[in-house]
Amino acid sequence: MKADIPGKPGFNFGDAAMVPVRFAMELVDPPLRWLQRTAGLGGMATFFLLPNMLIFGIFVLLPFFINFAYSMTGGAALFLPDRNFVGADQYARLFDCSNYLDPNSCAEDTFWTAVGNTGWFVLLQVTLMIGVSLVTALILNRDLRARSFWRAVFFFPVLLSPVVVGLIWKWILQRQGLLNFGLYGLGFEPHAWLNDRNWSFAAAVGVSIWAHMGFYTLILLAGLQAIPKDLYEAAEMDGTKPTRVFLRITLPLLAPNLLVVIVLVLIRAVQIFDEVYVLTGGGPGTSTLFLTQYIYETGFAAQLRNPGLAAAASILMGAVLVVLTLLQLSLGRSSEKKGDRK
Amino acid sequence: MSRIAQFLFRRKGGRGWHWTDIVTWVWLVGGLFIMFGPAVWLVGSSFKSPAALAEFPPTILPYITQKVTVSGIDKPLDLYEVTLEGGKTVKLAEVRRVGVVSQMVDPSNPGEVIKVNISQRKPVREMSFASENYTGPFTHFDFVRYLWNSVFVTVVATLITLIVNSMAAFALSKYEFRGRTIAMLLILATLMVPLSVIMVPLYSIVSALGLFNSLWGVILPTVATPTGVFILRQYMLTIPDELIDAARMDKASEWQIYWRIILPLTAPALAVLAIFSVVWRWNDFLWPLIVLSRKELYTLQVGLSIYSGELNVQWHFILAMTVVTMIPVVLVFIFLQRFITTGIAGTGLK
């Protein structure tokens, strides 16, 4: 986007509704003029930046740092000064396993179940999500009538809240739901999908793809549309086979976008919580218990709350996310550079 | 016929059909059903009475069994169409059922009880929209309260987001000062700190500030979004500095430059951020779930998830409440989807 400078601003501050706003803005002007005179332009820059930095500082940076302190304390007390220092005990407890391949042999077996579930979820969801979004983006990039309509169709669920997504599918997958109705018509017995360990996991994967694929399709489609058309025309003139065009033109030129999307999907998949929590509540048993839910329940919802343990688990998850985000930023930067060279 | 088929299946440029064309249309039409179908089904179900919701197989439209009042009996009775032995069909009301035998009366002649095998009777159905699903939550739950809480959080958080982020973006795009790079990096770094990583300490900070069980505790931690600063800063960078210099020449204060020149010119980007912010805040779930533990403070999302997780889920209310929760987002989808899609394609951020 680029600002265009019209003769008259597009956002008309003269509107009647803006009169009180205008009044308030003029009211704060005299004290700010005084501030400008005393503090200078640099001071004004600080003034403009301050509210944002304060909120960032208090609600993001401060918690980020004291999270480490929390992870080294024990007990159920909420405030840090009331908590007793236990060193690396919480981490030791998380890693206390006799066999790392079997969650049941660990002191914190639910943590390892959550780690295992999240691992499988990430693997399955990222692969399928990339596949489905890529195919959709390729199809939307074809010579279609009403492309923006079709794009909107796939984008629709992205805007729905996770709670609504969870409830929509809970309603469809329940015993008397639409899916069983369809299968019943084909002669199958009704099945309580969400009470089945394997099917509820599959539902978690499928529903999260349904809810977010439109977002990634959009980014991939933007990437596809940025590929110069003359490359395809040249290939057509040479009589190149479509598969070869895809492998030699589309895929290499889409690669930067594709990599960014893969990392974005990964980052989101590691944190999966909301829609699955509403859909299955982590069950049946612990079959759809994921890391964020483990942290939430350990820190807030369990009978015996253990904020220290939750903090330690969240730091481990944060470490994974930091690596993935740095990867994304470096990929984003390298693809930006490529764009500049063009 | 073949002419019509030819017309329907004609292709641009007179080319023939390729297998990829078939895949395309199967994918698109399938996508149409899979993407919209579940939501449409939910909306359709929300108009069904509890009895109709419990039926299997379900009907597409909300049908209920017609009822009649028979003199001498207090309750309205279900009306059935019964095939008598002679092959005649009559409409009878069921008084009670014992095993496979139903005791029925003719509504016009309630004195005489007719015994009918249940395989011979079929309910008389009529279409009925259960509007009490929508009116019920207002009395059964604090639905108005939740609605108000959600609207309050969404509107206030969006306003603060716009003001705070546009001020920061102004400072970061139009001033040269020491520490600008550090400030940018700090904001960038917060992208790496999602809520799920800091929820324990954030909760303690919000509690220490006295914001636990307060809507402000939901609003404040979300308003300084790095995405917002980025969108606005990128946009402000394209505003020529000459405009600012000219305003300074005319003795405008920095604050006036911000709200009289920069803000109006940034309106398109502000609009995009406002749309994003409304959708984010309306849809927020995990953080409100942690901060709000008193019923009267729940937002729609929290209230919905709590009531749908109860042992005896009153689906007819839950479905209607879900539909109401969907409405603002569907409106955004219909009217403003264009802005969001260009916003995402342009920045790659959500």
Side-chain angles (χ1 to χ4, degrees):
Chain A
M1 277 194 300
K2 199 172 172 307
D4 53 334
I5 313 297
K8 229 177 132 197
F11 195 74
N12 196 348
F13 267 72
D15 283 349
M18 294 312 275
V19 168
V21 178
R22 209 170 148 172
F23 181 73
M25 292 291 190
E26 286 298 352
L27 210 61
V28 270
D29 193 46
L32 288 176
R33 266 180 195 273
W34 172 82
L35 181 73
Q36 193 181 329
R37 269 199 306 278
T38 39
L41 277 189
M44 283 313 281
T46 317
F47 162 77
F48 281 115
L49 205 52
L50 200 62
N52 206 307
M53 283 294 147
L54 269 180
I55 295 174
F56 268 137
I58 296 173
F59 296 113
V60 181
L61 292 179
L62 186 61
F64 177 75
F65 288 113
I66 65 172
N67 207 11
F68 291 99
Y70 262 94
S71 73
M72 292 184 191
T73 56
L78 175 61
F79 295 113
L80 205 49
D82 311 334
R83 300 175 58 79
N84 49 319
F85 182 78
V86 296
D89 279 8
Q90 305 284 16
Y91 294 97
R93 180 160 169 207
L94 286 178
F95 283 102
D96 179 13
C97 291
S98 50
N99 173 8
Y100 282 100
L101 292 175
D102 177 18
N104 293 327
S105 73
C106 301
E108 270 301 303
D109 54 339
T110 42
F111 173 70
W112 288 100
T113 310
V115 169
N117 285 344
T118 309
W120 277 113
F121 181 85
V122 167
L123 200 69
L124 276 171
Q125 199 243 24
V126 174
T127 327
L128 289 171
M129 180 83 94
I130 298 295
V132 172
S133 323
L134 185 59
V135 170
T136 312
L138 285 170
I139 283 177
L140 289 177
N141 194 39
R142 292 179 53 131
D143 197 8
L144 281 181
R145 256 171 266 168
R147 180 190 291 144
S148 49
F149 167 76
W150 292 111
R151 193 180 59 185
V153 166
F154 289 94
F155 189 73
F156 170 66
V158 175
L159 295 178
L160 295 178
S161 83
V163 176
V164 168
V165 168
L167 288 174
I168 285 180
W169 284 98
K170 198 175 176 181
W171 179 241
I172 285 179
L173 295 172
Q174 58 140 346
R175 189 174 264 283
Q176 286 121 339
L178 187 63
L179 181 65
N180 277 334
F181 175 42
L183 292 174
Y184 175 79
L186 298 173
F188 290 95
E189 279 295 300
H191 188 76
W193 304 99
L194 295 176
N195 292 344
D196 180 307
R197 295 184 70 87
N198 295 325
W199 282 114
S200 70
F201 191 86
V205 174
V207 167
S208 67
I209 292 175
W210 179 81
H212 302 296
M213 64 156 290
F215 176 70
Y216 303 108
T217 302
L218 212 62
I219 301 180
L220 290 176
L221 183 62
L224 284 174
Q225 291 183 332
I227 299 176
K229 292 278 174 290
D230 42 344
L231 287 177
Y232 290 107
E233 281 160 19
E236 199 180 347
M237 261 186 237
D238 293 345
T240 320
K241 284 210 178 90
T243 36
R244 208 177 145 79
V245 171
F246 177 73
L247 291 175
R248 290 296 165 89
I249 299 177
T250 311
L251 216 50
L253 286 174
L254 190 64
N257 287 61
L258 201 58
L259 280 174
V260 169
V261 167
I262 291 174
V263 179
L264 267 180
V265 181
L266 267 171
I267 292 173
R268 297 270 176 78
V270 172
Q271 301 173 58
I272 183 74
F273 172 72
D274 310 19
E275 58 260 40
V276 177
Y277 181 70
V278 175
L279 184 72
T280 67
T286 51
S287 56
T288 52
L289 176 79
F290 297 113
L291 261 178
T292 302
Q293 192 184 341
Y294 170 81
I295 297 169
Y296 166 68
E297 287 185 344
T298 311
F300 303 100
Q303 284 289 322
L304 282 169
R305 300 202 304 194
N306 191 341
L309 196 63
S314 73
I315 283 174
L316 293 179
M317 182 163 115
V320 174
L321 290 174
V322 165
V323 171
L324 290 174
T325 312
L326 287 176
L327 195 65
Q328 184 211 358
L329 289 175
S330 66
L331 288 174
R333 190 148 312 155
S334 66
S335 71
E336 233 168 61
K337 272 190 199 131
K338 264 183 208 146
D340 288 344
R341 229 179 282 145
K342 199 162 51 190
Chain B
M1 268 318 265
S2 69
R3 285 268 177 87
I4 297 170
Q6 217 175 6
F7 174 74
L8 283 176
F9 296 110
R10 88 211 130 97
R11 295 275 292 122
K12 231 190 223 171
R15 280 178 291 133
W17 277 72
H18 189 250
W19 66 268
T20 51
D21 298 325
I22 296 161
V23 171
T24 299
W25 284 102
V26 168
W27 192 273
L28 291 179
V29 175
L32 187 67
F33 279 99
I34 293 171
M35 293 295 150
F36 284 126
V40 171
W41 178 249
L42 182 98
V43 174
S45 302
S46 75
F47 289 105
K48 290 180 177 176
S49 64
L53 286 177
E55 268 173 23
F56 189 85
T59 53
I60 304 286
L61 291 168
Y63 280 102
I64 56 163
T65 304
Q66 210 174 327
K67 300 216 179 238
V68 282
T69 34
V70 176
S71 56
I73 296 162
D74 305 335
K75 276 195 306 188
L77 300 175
D78 287 349
L79 197 64
Y80 289 87
E81 204 171 61
V82 179
T83 319
L84 294 177
E85 267 153 51
K88 219 168 54 160
T89 55
V90 284
K91 282 185 181 171
L92 297 178
E94 183 178 75
V95 182
R96 73 173 68 85
R97 194 183 126 187
V98 183
V100 294
V101 178
S102 165
Q103 299 178 358
M104 307 190 107
V105 291
D106 190 335
S108 54
N109 178 21
E112 182 191 357
V113 175
I114 310 165
K115 288 189 177 165
V116 180
N117 190 293
I118 57 164
S119 63
Q120 285 170 304
R121 75 192 201 343
K122 248 177 41 202
V124 177
R125 310 271 274 160
E126 64 176 354
M127 212 167 25
S128 149
F129 290 92
S131 58
E132 60 274 17
N133 289 355
Y134 284 86
T135 52
F138 288 99
T139 48
H140 285 69
F141 311 102
D142 292 331
F143 191 63
V144 187
R145 203 68 247 170
Y146 305 158
L147 195 63
W148 162 249
N149 292 342
S150 273
V151 170
F152 179 80
V153 166
T154 306
V155 170
V156 173
T158 300
L159 285 178
I160 301 180
T161 300
L162 290 180
I163 295 169
V164 167
N165 288 351
S166 66
M167 281 170 69
F170 176 49
L172 291 171
S173 62
K174 294 296 170 202
Y175 291 98
E176 291 288 340
F177 58 94
R178 266 201 326 180
R180 190 167 92 159
T181 334
I182 293 174
M184 278 302 288
L185 281 177
L186 270 180
I187 293 172
L188 198 70
T190 55
L191 275 175
M192 282 185 245
V193 191
L195 173 65
S196 42
V197 173
I198 54 167
M199 58 186 165
V200 174
L202 183 57
Y203 173 78
S204 77
I205 286 171
V206 164
S207 301
L209 293 173
L211 296 173
F212 176 65
N213 262 331
S214 141
L215 291 179
W216 289 100
V218 176
I219 294 170
L220 285 179
T222 60
V223 292
T225 124
T227 317
V229 177
F230 279 126
I231 294 179
L232 296 177
R233 179 175 171 269
Q234 285 321 92
Y235 200 86
M236 286 177 188
L237 283 174
T238 66
I239 297 174
D241 289 341
E242 288 80 13
L243 279 177
I244 296 174
D245 293 336
R248 280 190 188 138
M249 222 80 94
D250 291 341
K251 298 257 165 21
S253 71
E254 296 303 304
W255 176 252
Q256 281 173 324
I257 291 173
Y258 160 72
W259 80 267
R260 285 193 161 179
I261 297 175
I262 299 294
L263 273 195
L265 288 176
T266 320
L270 285 172
V272 170
L273 179 60
I275 299 168
F276 271 108
S277 172
V278 165
V279 174
W280 288 334
R281 300 292 84 87
W282 185 261
N283 289 348
D284 264 345
F285 174 57
L286 176 57
W287 184 239
L289 181 71
I290 293 173
V291 177
L292 307 173
S293 75
R294 288 219 320 265
K295 256 186 182 167
E296 64 271 24
L297 289 170
Y298 286 169
T299 59
L300 275 179
Q301 314 288 347
V302 175
L304 259 182
S305 90
I306 301 251
Y307 285 117
S308 70
E310 279 179 351
L311 217 48
N312 278 319
V313 184
Q314 292 182 293
W315 270 109
H316 55 296
F317 289 148
I318 297 288
L319 293 173
M321 278 158 73
T322 310
V323 172
V324 175
T325 310
M326 260 165 65
I327 289 173
V329 171
V330 170
L331 289 179
V332 166
F333 175 73
I334 295 172
F335 296 108
L336 305 170
Q337 180 257 127
R338 214 157 31 93
F339 296 99
I340 299 190
T341 47
T342 47
I344 291 175
T347 58
L349 292 164
K350 188 174 115 178

